[in-house]
């Protein structure tokens, strides 16, 4: 792993033993029955400010001078949108009303508790990172400043001075520095979230580009097609990766619970607990 990621990883708290992914029936079947995780392109998630929040913070932290303006000119939203940063979201919370509402539906919601060691193995297998989201402004600015210190102040600034500010004949080298900056920023940006979402206590599997042999796919949503990459997560060696399954609020709770248990049993995950939500939600 590149040493530049050290501060990003260090900022992420040690996760709890189990982290929960909220999903609907189709997602439950894909994950538990078929061994697949869908890592969605970050711009298409529930939070309309995803990535753009980090981009605005970055723009604020780049100096407003000739060198900063030159660096800023090499960065563009268009460049970032062409790179498909994909994520899978998890929470410390196993049975949370707001997440049942936000990521499921009445009678169509599950919370799947992954062993954190399995998630780390998934991250390592598919060149991703398991990171805790940062919601407070001081932490977010500190993380961006650390990347700028490494990639802008220590590298681009002396480079710009050495070439006398004439970027055109040195564009290949300049863009290489920008690309190295973006490599780190693509890991950091997905974990910088609005404070409005802090109660979700979210961790994320972040898969920055390139995605090697993982093709970009598309699935339908209510408003648009969502780009995603498919992670065949059950290629890992962890014997009992799913520790807990919570069946969300809905009618016919006994049947829903029985069906979920049958799917888990078919996997031979005899240590996996399957249970009904404790939330008294009627839809």
């Amino acid at each position: 792993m590149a040493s530049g990621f050290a501060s990003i990883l260090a900022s992420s708290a040690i996760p709890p033993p189990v982290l929960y992914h909220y999903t609907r029936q189709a997602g439950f079947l894909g994950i538990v029955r078929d061994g697949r995780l869908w890592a969605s392109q970050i711009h298409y998630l529930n939070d309309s400010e995803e990535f753009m929040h980090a981009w605005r913070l970055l723009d604020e932290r780049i100096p407003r001078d000739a060198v900063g303006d030159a660096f800023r000119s090499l960065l563009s939203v268009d460049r970032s949108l062409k790179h498909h940063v994909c994520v899978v979201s998890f929470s410390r919370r196993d049975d949370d009303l707001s997440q049942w509402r936000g990521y499921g539906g009445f009678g169509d919601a599950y919370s799947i508790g992954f062993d954190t060691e399995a998630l780390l193995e998934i991250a390592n297998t598919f060149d991703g990172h398991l990171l805790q989201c940062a919601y407070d402004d001081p932490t977010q600015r500190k993380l961006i400043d650390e990347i700028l210190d490494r990639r802008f102040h220590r590298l681009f600034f002396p480079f710009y001075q050495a070439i006398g500010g004439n970027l055109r004949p040195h564009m290949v080298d300049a863009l290489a520095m920008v690309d190295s900056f973006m490599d780190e920023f693509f890991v950091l940006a997905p974990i910088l979230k609005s404070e409005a979402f802090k109660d979700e206590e979210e961790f994320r599997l972040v898969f920055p580009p390139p995605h090697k042999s993982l093709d970009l796919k598309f699935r339908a949503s209510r408003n648009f097609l969502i780009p995603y990459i498919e992670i065949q997560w059950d290629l890992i060696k962890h014997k009992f990766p799913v520790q807990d399954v919570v069946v969300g609020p809905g009618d016919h709770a006994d049947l829903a619970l029985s069906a979920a248990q049958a799917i888990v049993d078919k996997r031979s995950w005899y240590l996996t607990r399957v249970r009904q939500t404790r939330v008294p939600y009627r839809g």
Side-chain angles (χ1 to χ4, degrees):
M1 179 180 298
S3 60
F5 294 121
S7 65
I8 301 174
L9 299 177
S11 72
S12 190
I14 297 174
V18 180
L19 286 168
Y20 290 83
H21 177 72
Y22 287 77
T23 188
R24 293 177 177 266
Q25 291 176 4
F28 175 80
L29 290 173
I31 293 169
V32 177
R33 183 190 65 187
D34 303 330
R36 296 184 176 94
L37 274 170
W38 290 350
S40 300
Q41 213 252 38
I42 189 172
H43 303 89
Y44 293 80
L45 300 182
N46 284 12
D47 179 3
S48 61
E49 289 290 295
E50 291 281 5
F51 200 90
M52 300 310 298
H53 173 69
W55 192 268
R56 283 194 295 271
L57 283 176
L58 170 62
D59 184 67
E60 292 174 5
R61 308 305 286 176
I62 298 174
R64 300 286 174 178
D65 55 24
V67 187
D69 290 343
F71 189 72
R72 189 181 286 103
S73 72
L74 297 174
L75 302 171
S76 73
V77 175
D78 287 341
R79 283 185 62 148
S80 72
L81 289 173
K82 291 175 183 175
H83 293 79
H84 297 280
V85 183
C86 296
V87 303
V88 187
S89 297
F90 299 85
S91 174
R92 288 178 178 270
R93 300 190 174 207
D94 63 333
D95 190 6
D96 182 67
L97 175 58
S98 66
Q99 296 191 69
W100 289 129
R101 288 171 168 168
Y103 304 104
F106 187 72
D108 185 13
Y110 300 82
S111 172
I112 303 172
F114 273 87
D115 187 298
T116 297
E117 291 300 319
L119 293 178
L120 290 170
E121 190 176 345
I122 292 169
N124 291 333
T125 301
F126 295 96
D127 294 323
H129 308 272
L130 179 64
L131 301 168
Q132 182 183 33
C133 289
Y135 302 97
D136 64 287
D137 189 69
T139 298
Q140 294 181 358
R141 292 176 185 274
K142 177 177 179 289
L143 289 168
I144 285 179
D145 285 347
E146 287 174 350
I147 297 180
L148 283 172
D149 182 57
R150 286 191 297 274
R151 299 298 182 180
F152 173 76
H153 294 291
R154 298 185 192 178
L155 293 179
F156 187 83
F157 186 87
F159 165 77
Y160 185 87
Q161 289 187 316
I163 63 174
N166 186 13
L167 285 174
R168 188 174 297 276
H170 303 279
M171 191 58 69
V172 172
D173 292 333
L175 289 177
M177 292 183 185
V178 169
D179 286 343
S180 69
F181 173 88
M182 292 306 293
D183 284 344
E184 289 194 50
F185 187 69
F186 285 148
V187 175
L188 175 62
I191 67 170
L192 304 186
K193 295 203 65 178
S194 166
E195 194 170 11
F197 291 88
K198 67 179 181 180
D199 289 343
E200 293 185 351
E201 299 187 66
E202 186 176 350
F203 283 75
R204 283 181 163 178
L205 280 174
V206 179
F207 299 97
H211 301 124
K212 292 189 174 180
S213 60
L214 300 174
D215 294 330
L216 194 69
K217 298 184 177 184
F218 298 85
R219 68 178 188 272
S221 72
R222 285 175 293 181
N223 300 311
F224 40 69
L225 295 175
I226 298 178
Y228 71 98
I229 56 173
E230 189 172 83
I231 306 294
Q232 187 69 44
W233 69 262
D234 63 355
L235 295 176
I236 66 172
K237 297 178 180 178
H238 200 292
K239 191 170 184 180
F240 298 108
V242 174
Q243 296 289 307
D244 193 14
V245 171
V246 184
V247 179
D251 296 325
H252 311 295
D254 54 341
L255 294 175
L257 187 68
S258 177
Q261 183 69 64
I263 293 172
V264 167
D265 290 346
K266 193 169 183 179
R267 273 288 200 171
S268 298
W269 291 341
Y270 55 83
L271 293 182
T272 301
R273 180 172 60 161
V274 181
R275 56 193 170 98
Q276 188 71 37
T277 178
R278 301 180 300 274
V279 173
Y281 176 51
R282 296 178 181 268

